[in-house]
PDB file of all heavy atoms in Angstrom:
ATOM      1  N   ARG A   2      60.445 -39.691 -57.172  1.00 96.00           N
ATOM      2  CA  ARG A   2      59.240 -39.960 -56.437  1.00 96.00           C
ATOM      3  C   ARG A   2      59.280 -41.284 -55.691  1.00 96.00           C
ATOM      4  O   ARG A   2      58.857 -41.390 -54.507  1.00 96.00           O
ATOM      5  CB  ARG A   2      58.047 -39.969 -57.351  1.00 96.00           C
ATOM      6  CG  ARG A   2      56.693 -40.122 -56.657  1.00 96.00           C
ATOM      7  CD  ARG A   2      55.488 -40.109 -57.734  1.00 96.00           C
ATOM      8  NE  ARG A   2      54.261 -40.245 -57.053  1.00 96.00           N
ATOM      9  CZ  ARG A   2      53.604 -39.415 -56.246  1.00 96.00           C
ATOM     10  NH1 ARG A   2      54.208 -38.249 -56.059  1.00 96.00           N
ATOM     11  NH2 ARG A   2      52.435 -39.758 -55.779  1.00 96.00           N
ATOM     12  N   ASN A   3      59.848 -42.322 -56.360  1.00 96.00           N
ATOM     13  CA  ASN A   3      59.987 -43.592 -55.721  1.00 96.00           C
ATOM     14  C   ASN A   3      60.857 -43.574 -54.462  1.00 96.00           C
ATOM     15  O   ASN A   3      60.634 -44.242 -53.510  1.00 96.00           O
ATOM     16  CB  ASN A   3      60.435 -44.694 -56.670  1.00 96.00           C
ATOM     17  CG  ASN A   3      59.431 -44.989 -57.788  1.00 96.00           C
ATOM     18  OD1 ASN A   3      58.282 -44.661 -57.598  1.00 96.00           O
ATOM     19  ND2 ASN A   3      59.845 -45.584 -58.858  1.00 96.00           N
ATOM     20  N   VAL A   4      61.994 -42.824 -54.575  1.00 96.00           N
ATOM     21  CA  VAL A   4      62.966 -42.731 -53.499  1.00 96.00           C
ATOM     22  C   VAL A   4      62.189 -42.041 -52.274  1.00 96.00           C
ATOM     23  O   VAL A   4      62.317 -42.549 -51.114  1.00 96.00           O
ATOM     24  CB  VAL A   4      64.235 -41.921 -53.842  1.00 96.00           C
ATOM     25  CG1 VAL A   4      65.068 -41.574 -52.634  1.00 96.00           C
ATOM     26  CG2 VAL A   4      65.030 -42.799 -54.849  1.00 96.00           C
ATOM     27  N   LEU A   5      61.509 -40.949 -52.541  1.00 97.00           N
ATOM     28  CA  LEU A   5      60.818 -40.290 -51.493  1.00 97.00           C
ATOM     29  C   LEU A   5      59.717 -41.100 -50.828  1.00 97.00           C
ATOM     30  O   LEU A   5      59.690 -41.229 -49.601  1.00 97.00           O
ATOM     31  CB  LEU A   5      60.223 -38.944 -52.034  1.00 97.00           C
ATOM     32  CG  LEU A   5      61.102 -37.714 -52.082  1.00 97.00           C
ATOM     33  CD1 LEU A   5      62.356 -37.926 -52.852  1.00 97.00           C
ATOM     34  CD2 LEU A   5      60.285 -36.535 -52.598  1.00 97.00           C
ATOM     35  N   ALA A   6      58.970 -41.772 -51.683  1.00 97.00           N
ATOM     36  CA  ALA A   6      57.838 -42.607 -51.125  1.00 97.00           C
ATOM     37  C   ALA A   6      58.359 -43.819 -50.356  1.00 97.00           C
ATOM     38  O   ALA A   6      57.978 -44.110 -49.275  1.00 97.00           O
ATOM     39  CB  ALA A   6      56.957 -42.997 -52.289  1.00 97.00           C
ATOM     40  N   ALA A   7      59.387 -44.467 -50.856  1.00 96.00           N
ATOM     41  CA  ALA A   7      59.986 -45.677 -50.255  1.00 96.00           C
ATOM     42  C   ALA A   7      60.593 -45.251 -48.886  1.00 96.00           C
ATOM     43  O   ALA A   7      60.490 -45.938 -47.894  1.00 96.00           O
ATOM     44  CB  ALA A   7      60.944 -46.319 -51.124  1.00 96.00           C
ATOM     45  N   SER A   8      61.336 -44.176 -48.873  1.00 96.00           N
ATOM     46  CA  SER A   8      62.012 -43.691 -47.634  1.00 96.00           C
ATOM     47  C   SER A   8      60.971 -43.438 -46.629  1.00 96.00           C
ATOM     48  O   SER A   8      61.073 -43.826 -45.455  1.00 96.00           O
ATOM     49  CB  SER A   8      62.733 -42.361 -47.905  1.00 96.00           C
ATOM     50  OG  SER A   8      63.742 -42.591 -48.852  1.00 96.00           O
ATOM     51  N   MET A   9      59.891 -42.713 -46.903  1.00 96.00           N
ATOM     52  CA  MET A   9      58.837 -42.374 -45.972  1.00 96.00           C
ATOM     53  C   MET A   9      58.153 -43.676 -45.405  1.00 96.00           C
ATOM     54  O   MET A   9      57.896 -43.803 -44.207  1.00 96.00           O
ATOM     55  CB  MET A   9      57.822 -41.457 -46.546  1.00 96.00           C
ATOM     56  CG  MET A   9      58.336 -40.007 -46.734  1.00 96.00           C
ATOM     57  SD  MET A   9      57.126 -38.998 -47.464  1.00 96.00           S
ATOM     58  CE  MET A   9      55.831 -38.941 -46.255  1.00 96.00           C
ATOM     59  N   GLN A  10      57.884 -44.540 -46.392  1.00 95.00           N
ATOM     60  CA  GLN A  10      57.268 -45.793 -46.005  1.00 95.00           C
ATOM     61  C   GLN A  10      58.084 -46.601 -45.046  1.00 95.00           C
ATOM     62  O   GLN A  10      57.637 -47.133 -44.013  1.00 95.00           O
ATOM     63  CB  GLN A  10      56.965 -46.662 -47.212  1.00 95.00           C
ATOM     64  CG  GLN A  10      56.174 -48.065 -46.877  1.00 95.00           C
ATOM     65  CD  GLN A  10      55.890 -48.754 -48.103  1.00 95.00           C
ATOM     66  OE1 GLN A  10      56.471 -48.526 -49.228  1.00 95.00           O
ATOM     67  NE2 GLN A  10      54.981 -49.709 -47.960  1.00 95.00           N
ATOM     68  N   ASN A  11      59.371 -46.739 -45.296  1.00 94.00           N
ATOM     69  CA  ASN A  11      60.302 -47.531 -44.480  1.00 94.00           C
ATOM     70  C   ASN A  11      60.536 -46.857 -43.155  1.00 94.00           C
ATOM     71  O   ASN A  11      60.793 -47.596 -42.174  1.00 94.00           O
ATOM     72  CB  ASN A  11      61.674 -47.702 -45.245  1.00 94.00           C
ATOM     73  CG  ASN A  11      61.565 -48.725 -46.383  1.00 94.00           C
ATOM     74  OD1 ASN A  11      60.794 -49.678 -46.182  1.00 94.00           O
ATOM     75  ND2 ASN A  11      62.304 -48.510 -47.414  1.00 94.00           N
ATOM     76  N   LEU A  12      60.411 -45.599 -43.032  1.00 95.00           N
ATOM     77  CA  LEU A  12      60.556 -44.881 -41.754  1.00 95.00           C
ATOM     78  C   LEU A  12      59.270 -44.785 -40.941  1.00 95.00           C
ATOM     79  O   LEU A  12      59.209 -44.296 -39.811  1.00 95.00           O
ATOM     80  CB  LEU A  12      61.123 -43.419 -42.029  1.00 95.00           C
ATOM     81  CG  LEU A  12      62.512 -43.368 -42.494  1.00 95.00           C
ATOM     82  CD1 LEU A  12      62.891 -41.917 -42.939  1.00 95.00           C
ATOM     83  CD2 LEU A  12      63.522 -43.785 -41.355  1.00 95.00           C
ATOM     84  N   GLY A  13      58.097 -45.256 -41.614  1.00 94.00           N
ATOM     85  CA  GLY A  13      56.857 -45.139 -40.885  1.00 94.00           C
ATOM     86  C   GLY A  13      56.243 -43.794 -41.025  1.00 94.00           C
ATOM     87  O   GLY A  13      55.352 -43.412 -40.145  1.00 94.00           O
ATOM     88  N   GLY A  14      56.639 -42.996 -41.978  1.00 93.00           N
ATOM     89  CA  GLY A  14      56.240 -41.581 -42.060  1.00 93.00           C
ATOM     90  C   GLY A  14      54.962 -41.274 -42.879  1.00 93.00           C
ATOM     91  O   GLY A  14      54.727 -40.157 -43.219  1.00 93.00           O
ATOM     92  N   GLY A  15      54.220 -42.370 -43.279  1.00 92.00           N
ATOM     93  CA  GLY A  15      52.964 -42.063 -44.105  1.00 92.00           C
ATOM     94  C   GLY A  15      53.225 -41.974 -45.561  1.00 92.00           C
ATOM     95  O   GLY A  15      54.287 -42.447 -46.050  1.00 92.00           O
ATOM     96  N   GLU A  16      52.279 -41.573 -46.232  1.00 94.00           N
ATOM     97  CA  GLU A  16      52.261 -41.468 -47.684  1.00 94.00           C
ATOM     98  C   GLU A  16      52.745 -40.164 -48.172  1.00 94.00           C
ATOM     99  O   GLU A  16      52.704 -39.113 -47.448  1.00 94.00           O
ATOM    100  CB  GLU A  16      50.771 -41.575 -48.188  1.00 94.00           C
ATOM    101  CG  GLU A  16      50.104 -42.942 -47.868  1.00 94.00           C
ATOM    102  CD  GLU A  16      50.778 -44.132 -48.604  1.00 94.00           C
ATOM    103  OE1 GLU A  16      51.019 -43.961 -49.761  1.00 94.00           O
ATOM    104  OE2 GLU A  16      50.951 -45.187 -47.928  1.00 94.00           O
ATOM    105  N   LEU A  17      53.430 -40.198 -49.356  1.00 95.00           N
ATOM    106  CA  LEU A  17      53.970 -39.032 -49.969  1.00 95.00           C
ATOM    107  C   LEU A  17      52.841 -38.234 -50.532  1.00 95.00           C
ATOM    108  O   LEU A  17      52.061 -38.652 -51.387  1.00 95.00           O
ATOM    109  CB  LEU A  17      54.948 -39.371 -51.017  1.00 95.00           C
ATOM    110  CG  LEU A  17      55.643 -38.228 -51.718  1.00 95.00           C
ATOM    111  CD1 LEU A  17      56.449 -37.387 -50.802  1.00 95.00           C
ATOM    112  CD2 LEU A  17      56.515 -38.726 -52.899  1.00 95.00           C
ATOM    113  N   GLU A  18      52.663 -37.016 -50.117  1.00 93.00           N
ATOM    114  CA  GLU A  18      51.586 -36.087 -50.572  1.00 93.00           C
ATOM    115  C   GLU A  18      52.319 -34.937 -51.329  1.00 93.00           C
ATOM    116  O   GLU A  18      53.103 -34.176 -50.734  1.00 93.00           O
ATOM    117  CB  GLU A  18      50.813 -35.489 -49.404  1.00 93.00           C
ATOM    118  CG  GLU A  18      49.817 -34.456 -49.856  1.00 93.00           C
ATOM    119  CD  GLU A  18      48.765 -34.940 -50.810  1.00 93.00           C
ATOM    120  OE1 GLU A  18      48.138 -35.998 -50.643  1.00 93.00           O
ATOM    121  OE2 GLU A  18      48.587 -34.218 -51.890  1.00 93.00           O
ATOM    122  N   PRO A  19      52.032 -34.766 -52.734  1.00 91.00           N
ATOM    123  CA  PRO A  19      52.807 -33.739 -53.452  1.00 91.00           C
ATOM    124  C   PRO A  19      52.338 -32.297 -53.320  1.00 91.00           C
ATOM    125  O   PRO A  19      53.035 -31.440 -53.632  1.00 91.00           O
ATOM    126  CB  PRO A  19      52.593 -34.244 -54.915  1.00 91.00           C
ATOM    127  CG  PRO A  19      51.379 -35.053 -54.799  1.00 91.00           C
ATOM    128  CD  PRO A  19      51.284 -35.669 -53.473  1.00 91.00           C
ATOM    129  N   VAL A  20      51.174 -32.110 -52.593  1.00 91.00           N
ATOM    130  CA  VAL A  20      50.664 -30.746 -52.415  1.00 91.00           C
ATOM    131  C   VAL A  20      51.559 -29.969 -51.398  1.00 91.00           C
ATOM    132  O   VAL A  20      51.823 -30.421 -50.325  1.00 91.00           O
ATOM    133  CB  VAL A  20      49.258 -30.753 -51.877  1.00 91.00           C
ATOM    134  CG1 VAL A  20      48.658 -29.373 -51.639  1.00 91.00           C
ATOM    135  CG2 VAL A  20      48.373 -31.486 -52.895  1.00 91.00           C
ATOM    136  N   ARG A  21      52.105 -28.834 -51.894  1.00 91.00           N
ATOM    137  CA  ARG A  21      52.977 -27.958 -51.092  1.00 91.00           C
ATOM    138  C   ARG A  21      54.282 -28.532 -50.839  1.00 91.00           C
ATOM    139  O   ARG A  21      55.042 -28.092 -49.910  1.00 91.00           O
ATOM    140  CB  ARG A  21      52.262 -27.493 -49.762  1.00 91.00           C
ATOM    141  CG  ARG A  21      50.987 -26.638 -50.009  1.00 91.00           C
ATOM    142  CD  ARG A  21      50.407 -26.056 -48.705  1.00 91.00           C
ATOM    143  NE  ARG A  21      50.593 -26.800 -47.530  1.00 91.00           N
ATOM    144  CZ  ARG A  21      49.777 -27.784 -47.040  1.00 91.00           C
ATOM    145  NH1 ARG A  21      48.649 -28.051 -47.742  1.00 91.00           N
ATOM    146  NH2 ARG A  21      49.992 -28.422 -45.944  1.00 91.00           N
ATOM    147  N   LEU A  22      54.632 -29.596 -51.479  1.00 93.00           N
ATOM    148  CA  LEU A  22      55.956 -30.262 -51.330  1.00 93.00           C
ATOM    149  C   LEU A  22      57.168 -29.468 -51.721  1.00 93.00           C
ATOM    150  O   LEU A  22      57.112 -28.831 -52.770  1.00 93.00           O
ATOM    151  CB  LEU A  22      55.890 -31.565 -52.031  1.00 93.00           C
ATOM    152  CG  LEU A  22      57.192 -32.505 -51.994  1.00 93.00           C
ATOM    153  CD1 LEU A  22      57.308 -32.990 -50.568  1.00 93.00           C
ATOM    154  CD2 LEU A  22      57.087 -33.672 -52.956  1.00 93.00           C
ATOM    155  N   ASN A  23      58.203 -29.454 -50.828  1.00 91.00           N
ATOM    156  CA  ASN A  23      59.362 -28.796 -51.170  1.00 91.00           C
ATOM    157  C   ASN A  23      60.540 -29.784 -51.160  1.00 91.00           C
ATOM    158  O   ASN A  23      60.786 -30.325 -50.151  1.00 91.00           O
ATOM    159  CB  ASN A  23      59.722 -27.661 -50.112  1.00 91.00           C
ATOM    160  CG  ASN A  23      61.012 -26.981 -50.177  1.00 91.00           C
ATOM    161  OD1 ASN A  23      61.926 -27.385 -49.384  1.00 91.00           O
ATOM    162  ND2 ASN A  23      61.256 -26.178 -51.138  1.00 91.00           N
ATOM    163  N   VAL A  24      61.165 -30.009 -52.311  1.00 93.00           N
ATOM    164  CA  VAL A  24      62.230 -30.979 -52.428  1.00 93.00           C
ATOM    165  C   VAL A  24      63.572 -30.233 -52.750  1.00 93.00           C
ATOM    166  O   VAL A  24      63.576 -29.336 -53.649  1.00 93.00           O
ATOM    167  CB  VAL A  24      61.981 -31.933 -53.575  1.00 93.00           C
ATOM    168  CG1 VAL A  24      63.067 -33.029 -53.724  1.00 93.00           C
ATOM    169  CG2 VAL A  24      60.628 -32.703 -53.356  1.00 93.00           C
ATOM    170  N   ILE A  25      64.599 -30.555 -51.956  1.00 92.00           N
ATOM    171  CA  ILE A  25      65.896 -29.978 -52.182  1.00 92.00           C
ATOM    172  C   ILE A  25      66.905 -31.035 -52.476  1.00 92.00           C
ATOM    173  O   ILE A  25      67.120 -31.927 -51.604  1.00 92.00           O
ATOM    174  CB  ILE A  25      66.331 -29.156 -50.973  1.00 92.00           C
ATOM    175  CG1 ILE A  25      65.316 -28.081 -50.725  1.00 92.00           C
ATOM    176  CG2 ILE A  25      67.776 -28.553 -51.232  1.00 92.00           C
ATOM    177  CD1 ILE A  25      65.584 -27.292 -49.392  1.00 92.00           C
ATOM    178  N   CYS A  26      67.536 -31.039 -53.664  1.00 92.00           N
ATOM    179  CA  CYS A  26      68.626 -31.909 -54.044  1.00 92.00           C
ATOM    180  C   CYS A  26      69.952 -31.171 -53.796  1.00 92.00           C
ATOM    181  O   CYS A  26      70.081 -30.129 -54.381  1.00 92.00           O
ATOM    182  CB  CYS A  26      68.494 -32.428 -55.409  1.00 92.00           C
ATOM    183  SG  CYS A  26      66.962 -33.360 -55.700  1.00 92.00           S
ATOM    184  N   SER A  27      70.820 -31.620 -52.947  1.00 93.00           N
ATOM    185  CA  SER A  27      72.018 -30.893 -52.633  1.00 93.00           C
ATOM    186  C   SER A  27      73.266 -31.781 -52.871  1.00 93.00           C
ATOM    187  O   SER A  27      73.358 -32.910 -52.513  1.00 93.00           O
ATOM    188  CB  SER A  27      72.001 -30.509 -51.158  1.00 93.00           C
ATOM    189  OG  SER A  27      70.895 -29.736 -50.863  1.00 93.00           O
ATOM    190  N   GLN A  28      74.274 -31.056 -53.454  1.00 94.00           N
ATOM    191  CA  GLN A  28      75.561 -31.731 -53.660  1.00 94.00           C
ATOM    192  C   GLN A  28      76.601 -30.841 -52.935  1.00 94.00           C
ATOM    193  O   GLN A  28      76.628 -29.615 -53.124  1.00 94.00           O
ATOM    194  CB  GLN A  28      75.930 -31.805 -55.092  1.00 94.00           C
ATOM    195  CG  GLN A  28      77.251 -32.403 -55.402  1.00 94.00           C
ATOM    196  CD  GLN A  28      77.722 -32.400 -56.779  1.00 94.00           C
ATOM    197  OE1 GLN A  28      77.558 -31.486 -57.507  1.00 94.00           O
ATOM    198  NE2 GLN A  28      78.174 -33.612 -57.258  1.00 94.00           N
ATOM    199  N   TYR A  29      77.356 -31.394 -52.056  1.00 95.00           N
ATOM    200  CA  TYR A  29      78.421 -30.712 -51.276  1.00 95.00           C
ATOM    201  C   TYR A  29      79.756 -31.259 -51.739  1.00 95.00           C
ATOM    202  O   TYR A  29      80.023 -32.460 -51.711  1.00 95.00           O
ATOM    203  CB  TYR A  29      78.254 -31.034 -49.808  1.00 95.00           C
ATOM    204  CG  TYR A  29      76.903 -30.642 -49.229  1.00 95.00           C
ATOM    205  CD1 TYR A  29      75.838 -31.495 -49.267  1.00 95.00           C
ATOM    206  CD2 TYR A  29      76.625 -29.359 -48.700  1.00 95.00           C
ATOM    207  CE1 TYR A  29      74.553 -31.152 -48.863  1.00 95.00           C
ATOM    208  CE2 TYR A  29      75.471 -28.980 -48.214  1.00 95.00           C
ATOM    209  CZ  TYR A  29      74.406 -29.910 -48.318  1.00 95.00           C
ATOM    210  OH  TYR A  29      73.143 -29.533 -47.784  1.00 95.00           O
ATOM    211  N   LEU A  30      80.520 -30.290 -52.142  1.00 96.00           N
ATOM    212  CA  LEU A  30      81.932 -30.537 -52.579  1.00 96.00           C
ATOM    213  C   LEU A  30      82.859 -29.710 -51.614  1.00 96.00           C
ATOM    214  O   LEU A  30      82.389 -29.180 -50.675  1.00 96.00           O
ATOM    215  CB  LEU A  30      82.143 -30.179 -54.002  1.00 96.00           C
ATOM    216  CG  LEU A  30      81.226 -30.940 -55.062  1.00 96.00           C
ATOM    217  CD1 LEU A  30      81.388 -30.329 -56.501  1.00 96.00           C
ATOM    218  CD2 LEU A  30      81.509 -32.393 -55.081  1.00 96.00           C
ATOM    219  N   ALA A  31      84.124 -29.697 -51.912  1.00 95.00           N
ATOM    220  CA  ALA A  31      85.055 -29.020 -51.029  1.00 95.00           C
ATOM    221  C   ALA A  31      84.532 -27.588 -50.662  1.00 95.00           C
ATOM    222  O   ALA A  31      84.148 -26.866 -51.515  1.00 95.00           O
ATOM    223  CB  ALA A  31      86.425 -28.929 -51.658  1.00 95.00           C
ATOM    224  N   ASP A  32      84.634 -27.298 -49.359  1.00 95.00           N
ATOM    225  CA  ASP A  32      84.278 -25.955 -48.813  1.00 95.00           C
ATOM    226  C   ASP A  32      82.706 -25.739 -48.738  1.00 95.00           C
ATOM    227  O   ASP A  32      82.345 -24.746 -48.222  1.00 95.00           O
ATOM    228  CB  ASP A  32      84.926 -24.850 -49.557  1.00 95.00           C
ATOM    229  CG  ASP A  32      86.456 -24.877 -49.440  1.00 95.00           C
ATOM    230  OD1 ASP A  32      86.974 -25.336 -48.345  1.00 95.00           O
ATOM    231  OD2 ASP A  32      87.119 -24.519 -50.431  1.00 95.00           O
ATOM    232  N   ASP A  33      81.924 -26.625 -49.213  1.00 94.00           N
ATOM    233  CA  ASP A  33      80.476 -26.501 -49.090  1.00 94.00           C
ATOM    234  C   ASP A  33      80.006 -26.897 -47.740  1.00 94.00           C
ATOM    235  O   ASP A  33      80.552 -27.836 -47.099  1.00 94.00           O
ATOM    236  CB  ASP A  33      79.702 -27.352 -50.117  1.00 94.00           C
ATOM    237  CG  ASP A  33      79.960 -26.803 -51.568  1.00 94.00           C
ATOM    238  OD1 ASP A  33      80.226 -25.644 -51.692  1.00 94.00           O
ATOM    239  OD2 ASP A  33      79.768 -27.614 -52.517  1.00 94.00           O
ATOM    240  N   SER A  34      79.039 -26.214 -47.148  1.00 95.00           N
ATOM    241  CA  SER A  34      78.460 -26.515 -45.854  1.00 95.00           C
ATOM    242  C   SER A  34      77.024 -25.921 -45.699  1.00 95.00           C
ATOM    243  O   SER A  34      76.624 -25.242 -46.516  1.00 95.00           O
ATOM    244  CB  SER A  34      79.414 -25.876 -44.803  1.00 95.00           C
ATOM    245  OG  SER A  34      79.374 -24.441 -44.918  1.00 95.00           O
ATOM    246  N   ILE A  35      76.435 -26.287 -44.530  1.00 93.00           N
ATOM    247  CA  ILE A  35      75.261 -25.645 -44.134  1.00 93.00           C
ATOM    248  C   ILE A  35      75.533 -25.081 -42.731  1.00 93.00           C
ATOM    249  O   ILE A  35      75.894 -25.935 -41.848  1.00 93.00           O
ATOM    250  CB  ILE A  35      74.036 -26.609 -44.084  1.00 93.00           C
ATOM    251  CG1 ILE A  35      73.667 -27.043 -45.470  1.00 93.00           C
ATOM    252  CG2 ILE A  35      72.772 -25.841 -43.482  1.00 93.00           C
ATOM    253  CD1 ILE A  35      72.511 -28.013 -45.503  1.00 93.00           C
TER     254      ILE A  35
END
């Protein structure tokens, strides 16, 4: 939560609102992609 809130604050993106929030934590290793 602190990482998300601080990132948004530093980028000027407003306050973190948890309602309808979708968080994705991704780890990419060999051969992983989007």
Side-chain angles (χ1 to χ4, degrees):
R2 182 179 180 73
N3 290 343
V4 167
L5 275 55
S8 298
M9 289 179 63
Q10 181 180 18
N11 288 326
L12 291 169
E16 298 293 318
L17 179 64
E18 174 57 55
V20 176
R21 299 187 325 272
L22 180 65
N23 170 256
V24 178
I25 300 173
C26 299
S27 303
Q28 180 184 46
Y29 302 86
L30 301 172
D32 298 323
D33 292 336
S34 65
I35 296 178

